[in-house]
Amino acid sequence: MNIKIRDIIKICKGKLLWGNEETVCENFSKDTRTIQQNDVYVGIKGENFDGNMLFEDAFKKGAKVCILQDVTPSEDIKNKYKETSCILVENTIKALQEMASYKRDLYNIPVIAITGSVGKTSTKDIVASVVSTEFNVLKTQGNLNNHIGLPLTILGLKEHNALVVEMGMNNLGEISLLSKIAKPNIAIITNVGTSHIGNLGSRENILKAKLEILDGLKQDGVLIINNDNDLLHDWASNEKNINLYTYGIHNLSNTMAENIVLKEDSSEFMVNINEKEKIIVPVGGEHFVYNALCAVMVGKILKISAKNIKYGIQKFELTKNRMELINLKNNVLLINDCYNANYDSMKAGIEYLSKASANRKIAVLGDMLELGEFSYELHKKVGEEILENKIDILVTVGEMGKVISDTVIQKNKNVFHCNTNKQAVEVILKIIQQDDVIFVKASNGMKFKEIVEGICKLYE
């Protein structure tokens, strides 16, 4: 199942500058800061730096192979590291993708690929948790879901017999590329919302981009969709040429949740697997009921036992900074959801906050990025959600955060707009009271992790 240097030379039309063609290439890295002994280093040319120029750092730290473009190490380097190998290719990113596609073909295993405007990572986590009850699963770490992260994940395949990958995108064509590399047996679209609408121009174009996941789907593969999402539901109603499975709460679906009980830190519902089963989700919010339903659907397709489907959902853990519940002194609950944000996930988070039992409900919100001409309209709608859900106090940061606060302040005086994250922490620390619940969310570029860390450090 391993790739050797001779395979890389053939697949990528590379040139061996020095080394042994029979060397096995097992662990791949693009970061000299974290490279391990005997790793294969792939030099990536970025916007701000060229990783190809760091090949000697990689060799010094124990890399046994370097794959490079546009650079030829000197004879002195070759002699200094003569026990290693060095390969020259035309384009290292393309080579990474070609190697990943080749490695994927070596494995006859279920590959589950997940995309969607909201909930990709949490759905990936809960699906992987269910599948791991009966398979040895490799899954995307964090959100390494792009044209570099996904190939690196696939190249990590070893003794695994299942793969769960997340696919992100900013523009048309990107999911198609990833799908053709991963060649999934099971493709999942969680929803079609407004994320990246600034690049794509409409939700209809976002739907088109998400459906590119079908481009690499195996001939006998299946597509799973959230049937309560309006665009996916309408598309599925007219689609006859795909092996389609659906999950939902409202629209009639293959897998449906009944008797839903939403709690602050968990949810419960009944679902038909072989017979009616009670599912316990260890995270609150209706959106996690949808994630769990998706995992149930995957489990049923893979013929995982009902017992293990239930156990996999109950034991799943979220990737950090996503609906992370942090208990502070005086029974204050901090909900850290600061990894990323778009309108759909903001709305879901605000609705979750509104249902919390608390002295006061405090929302700390910042800019949602990459919305283009739709930015003002969608931030205004977030403000309207704050009012509709009767959130007690709003703290905002950022240029578009001010649009949220300006919308709310017309009808609610408990609004604080801050110029910096540090100022937001100072405001929050002044207003916190016993039994408050504080919800923190913004796009990753707003660095709201600083706010979470500031509150945790100073409110001891």
Side-chain angles (χ1 to χ4, degrees):
M1 295 296 191
N2 287 320
I3 299 176
K4 294 183 177 180
I5 284 179
R6 59 176 164 80
D7 299 318
I8 295 172
I9 294 169
K10 182 178 179 181
I11 298 160
C12 308
K13 299 180 175 61
K15 177 183 179 183
L16 182 62
L17 299 181
W18 73 83
N20 184 351
E21 286 193 358
E22 296 304 310
T23 298
V24 173
C25 299
E26 191 172 14
N27 299 311
F28 291 77
S29 172
K30 67 176 182 66
D31 192 339
T32 57
R33 296 169 299 181
T34 57
I35 202 162
Q36 302 290 314
Q37 191 72 28
N38 292 323
D39 278 1
V40 177
Y41 175 69
V42 183
I44 302 294
K45 190 171 186 177
E47 291 182 10
N48 301 316
F49 73 99
D50 187 352
N52 293 280
M53 306 309 295
L54 303 177
F55 63 85
E56 189 168 8
D57 285 348
F59 282 135
K60 283 179 181 176
K61 292 182 179 180
K64 68 176 177 182
V65 181
C66 280
I67 302 174
L68 309 173
Q69 74 174 66
D70 301 331
V71 58
T72 303
S74 66
E75 283 296 317
D76 288 344
I77 294 291
K78 176 180 176 179
N79 293 329
K80 188 175 180 180
Y81 300 101
K82 59 185 177 183
E83 299 302 317
T84 66
S85 300
C86 188
I87 305 168
L88 188 65
V89 297
E90 185 176 344
N91 184 302
T92 50
I93 293 177
K94 185 179 178 184
L96 192 68
Q97 294 164 353
E98 290 169 336
M99 289 187 292
S101 180
Y102 174 82
K103 181 124 188 182
R104 161 63 179 104
D105 289 340
L106 298 177
Y107 285 75
N108 183 22
I109 62 174
V111 174
I112 302 148
I114 301 163
T115 193
S117 295
V118 184
K120 291 185 295 294
T121 302
S122 51
T123 303
K124 172 207 69 183
D125 289 334
I126 199 167
V127 166
S129 185
V130 166
V131 178
S132 68
T133 61
E134 296 189 14
F135 292 80
N136 182 2
V137 176
L138 175 66
K139 71 170 184 175
T140 300
Q141 294 302 305
N143 74 323
L144 294 173
N145 60 17
N146 65 5
H147 64 299
I148 295 172
L150 179 133
L152 283 170
T153 297
I154 294 174
L155 287 168
L157 280 167
K158 293 178 183 175
E159 69 282 0
H160 307 95
N161 58 4
L163 175 65
V164 180
V165 290
E166 178 183 336
M167 294 181 175
M169 63 91 196
N170 294 305
N171 289 291
L172 288 165
E174 294 175 359
I175 295 290
S176 178
L177 170 68
L178 300 181
S179 184
K180 289 173 182 176
I181 295 169
K183 309 174 190 75
N185 311 92
I186 299 175
I188 297 167
I189 305 177
T190 61
N191 45 55
V192 176
T194 57
S195 183
H196 308 300
I197 197 169
N199 294 339
L200 291 161
S202 69
R203 289 184 66 222
E204 287 71 24
N205 278 343
I206 295 172
L207 171 65
K208 184 178 178 182
K210 299 303 181 187
L211 287 170
E212 289 175 1
I213 200 169
L214 300 176
D215 291 354
L217 186 67
K218 289 281 192 177
Q219 191 169 3
D220 58 350
V222 304
L223 174 66
I224 301 173
I225 64 165
N226 175 354
N227 201 30
D228 286 347
N229 180 264
D230 56 344
L231 290 186
L232 286 172
H233 175 77
D234 291 345
W235 173 82
S237 298
N238 299 307
E239 178 57 44
K240 308 299 181 188
N241 300 318
I242 190 76
N243 192 3
L244 183 67
Y245 290 86
T246 59
Y247 63 91
I249 296 172
H250 306 294
N251 291 323
L252 183 63
S253 304
N254 298 110
T255 295
M256 298 192 70
E258 301 173 2
N259 304 324
I260 299 170
V261 178
L262 299 176
K263 304 177 182 179
E264 284 184 34
D265 58 354
S266 65
S267 303
E268 298 174 3
F269 61 90
M270 300 297 294
V271 67
N272 187 35
I273 301 179
N274 298 318
E275 55 187 40
K276 292 287 184 181
E277 301 281 356
K278 182 179 180 180
I279 302 292
I280 299 174
V281 190
V283 185
E286 187 179 69
H287 45 309
F288 283 97
V289 172
Y290 281 106
N291 296 347
L293 283 172
C294 181
V296 170
M297 190 74 259
V298 171
K300 288 164 72 172
I301 291 170
L302 294 178
K303 295 182 169 51
I304 294 172
S305 70
K307 178 183 175 182
N308 282 338
I309 290 173
K310 291 164 63 176
Y311 177 69
I313 292 171
Q314 193 162 358
K315 77 176 181 69
F316 109 97
E317 296 180 359
L318 276 171
T319 296
K320 201 167 177 61
N321 299 327
R322 287 171 168 83
M323 295 302 289
E324 179 184 7
L325 304 184
I326 303 171
N327 293 299
L328 303 175
K329 70 178 183 180
N330 297 328
N331 201 35
V332 171
L333 177 64
L334 177 62
I335 305 169
N336 173 15
D337 197 28
C338 69
Y339 187 81
N340 223 334
N342 52 50
Y343 170 70
D344 307 277
S345 61
M346 278 279 200
K347 183 176 185 293
I350 292 165
E351 289 173 349
Y352 172 77
L353 176 63
S354 73
K355 293 179 174 67
S357 59
N359 172 36
R360 299 175 309 171
K361 298 155 189 176
I362 303 171
V364 183
L365 307 180
D367 293 5
M368 303 177 293
L369 305 178
E370 299 180 348
L371 297 179
E373 64 182 288
F374 301 91
S375 188
Y376 179 88
E377 172 192 347
L378 290 172
H379 283 86
K380 188 173 186 296
K381 286 179 70 174
V382 170
E384 291 166 357
E385 290 294 332
I386 291 288
L387 290 169
E388 184 175 333
N389 286 279
K390 297 179 170 58
I391 304 305
D392 299 297
I393 299 173
L394 172 67
V395 179
T396 60
V397 182
E399 181 182 351
M400 286 294 110
K402 192 167 191 311
V403 175
I404 301 173
S405 60
D406 285 349
T407 302
V408 175
I409 204 167
Q410 298 172 27
K411 297 182 180 179
N412 186 337
K413 299 300 181 186
N414 292 319
V415 176
F416 303 85
H417 179 71
C418 304
N419 295 317
T420 64
N421 292 344
K422 182 180 178 182
Q423 186 184 354
V425 172
E426 292 169 355
V427 167
I428 295 161
L429 292 174
K430 286 178 183 177
I431 63 176
I432 289 180
Q433 294 180 8
Q434 185 170 332
D435 300 323
D436 283 348
V437 174
I438 306 168
F439 174 69
V440 183
K441 189 168 184 66
S443 281
N444 197 31
M446 295 299 291
K447 299 181 180 178
F448 265 32
K449 185 179 178 183
E450 296 172 351
I451 295 177
V452 171
E453 291 174 346
I455 296 170
C456 292
K457 182 179 180 181
L458 298 172
Y459 191 74
E460 297 174 340

